[in-house]
Amino acid sequence: MGDMIREGSFSDAFAVGYRAIKGTSVSMPSTPSAPATRSNSTPFLMGVRKGIERALGKHINELRD
């Protein structure tokens, strides 16, 4: 399972998450500062999460049932 989780920088991951929602041809907003990494996560995964949140304009926790 560890091989499936990509390692990389927070800022690269932020772009991945943002563009996954908004598309690849949009201009990127400024990258926020990296939050503390949660347990059972990586800086890359935290970046993807923050990119998705920024693109949607809400926190991922608000999307859960």
Side-chain angles (χ1 to χ4, degrees), residues 10-11 14 30-36 46-47 50 54:
F10 176 83
S11 60
F14 178 81
S30 61
T31 303
S33 58
M46 294 297 293
K50 289 298 178 187
R54 174 74 61 88

Side-chain angles (χ1 to χ4, degrees), residues 13-48:
F14 178 81
V16 168
Y18 189 84
R19 288 192 166 137
I21 302 299
K22 294 287 191 176
T24 58
S25 61
V26 299
S27 61
M28 288 295 300
S30 61
T31 303
S33 58
T37 303
R38 295 178 176 191
S39 62
N40 199 26
S41 191
T42 66
F44 184 85
L45 293 176
M46 294 297 293
V48 171

